[in-house]
């Protein structure tokens, strides 16, 4: 009838785009890591990302450079640290560049991963800031309530002292009345 089985769907050939339509690696590289532009002494400079593949030595030097800069810039090892985030971001961009030279599709996938990580970090940062603000509000409310409680405690202690004094007065009156009653009888 009109049923298609999983086996028949698997057997269908999927057509891949022709190899000629594959984008240029340099175009992808410049889209992922745009050129840096600046003006110095009235001259406009543009620095493009290199398209030279990295050697094993380059990767080792990158790792050593990362470790050195983390130490020099005193990046914190835990928690939110903008310095550490910036250095790792630069390192990850270099790794994306190196992978993109070998396989542009993998480079694009790593770019998506990088962007997702950045969005997650931004969400965590917002959550952290909101939780700190919430904690501060609760602490201020507690301190405000504590001051009110201390005032009420002082009022209650004063009222207790007044009542104890009144009790003593009434006891003395009661004792005086009992003594008069005994004296009359």
């Amino acid at each position: 009838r009109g049923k298609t089985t999983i086996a028949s769907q698997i057997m269908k050939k999927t057509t891949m785009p022709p190899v000629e339509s594959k984008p240029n690696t340099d175009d992808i590289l410049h889209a992922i890591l745009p050129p840096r532009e600046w003006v110095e002494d009235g001259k406009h400079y543009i620095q493009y990302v290199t398209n030279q593949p990295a050697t094993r030595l380059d990767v080792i030097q990158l790792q050593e450079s990362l470790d050195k800069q983390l130490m020099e810039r005193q990046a914190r090892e835990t928690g939110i640290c903008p310095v550490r985030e910036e250095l790792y971001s630069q390192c990850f961009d270099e790794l994306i560049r190196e992978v993109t030279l070998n396989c542009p599709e993998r480079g694009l996938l790593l770019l998506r991963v990088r962007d997702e990580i950045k969005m997650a970090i931004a969400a965590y940062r917002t959550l952290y800031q909101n939780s700190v603000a919430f904690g501060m509000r609760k602490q201020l409310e507690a301190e405000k309530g504590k001051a009110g409680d201390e005032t009420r405690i002082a009022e209650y202690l004063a009222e207790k002292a007044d009542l104890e004094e009144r009790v003593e007065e009434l006891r003395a009156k009661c004792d005086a009345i009992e003594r008069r009653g005994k004296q009359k009888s």
Side-chain angles (χ1 to χ4, degrees), residues 38-135:
W38 72 95
V39 176
E40 188 176 302
D41 298 329
K43 293 183 180 178
H44 185 260
Y45 293 95
I46 299 176
Q47 182 181 25
Y48 291 95
V49 175
T50 182
N51 59 1
Q52 295 298 317
T55 63
R56 185 174 187 277
L57 181 62
D58 292 334
V59 175
I60 292 170
Q61 288 174 343
L62 176 65
Q63 181 178 354
E64 289 171 355
S65 173
L66 174 65
D67 293 337
K68 180 182 171 191
Q69 287 186 22
L70 286 169
M71 293 294 286
E72 285 176 359
R73 296 182 59 187
Q74 298 175 345
R76 288 184 299 230
E77 292 182 21
T78 59
I80 296 173
C81 177
V83 172
R84 190 181 76 231
E85 184 180 339
E86 176 191 346
L87 292 174
Y88 274 100
S89 178
Q90 290 173 4
C91 183
F92 199 61
D93 286 346
E94 173 58 20
L95 292 174
I96 290 172
R97 183 195 73 80
E98 293 170 11
V99 169
T100 301
L101 291 173
N102 291 331
C103 179
E105 291 80 8
R106 275 195 200 120
L108 290 171
L109 183 58
L110 279 176
L111 179 67
R112 283 180 54 194
V113 169
R114 181 195 70 183
D115 292 343
E116 182 62 31
I117 289 170
K118 284 184 177 184
M119 287 191 312
I121 288 172
Y124 290 139
R125 184 176 287 118
T126 301
L127 183 62
Y128 172 75
Q129 290 167 347
N130 289 343
S131 66
V132 167
F134 177 79

Side-chain angles (χ1 to χ4, degrees), residues 14-34:
T14 56
T15 56
M16 296 294 285
V19 178
E20 295 81 34
S21 71
K22 185 177 180 181
N24 182 353
T25 303
D26 285 341
D27 294 339
I28 292 175
L29 198 58
H30 296 313
I32 292 174
L33 302 166

Side-chain angles (χ1 to χ4, degrees), residues 162 164-174:
D162 290 343
E164 286 174 345
E165 191 177 309
R166 178 80 172 131
V167 166
E168 288 301 318
E169 288 173 9
L170 291 174
R171 278 193 184 140
K173 224 181 205 182
C174 191

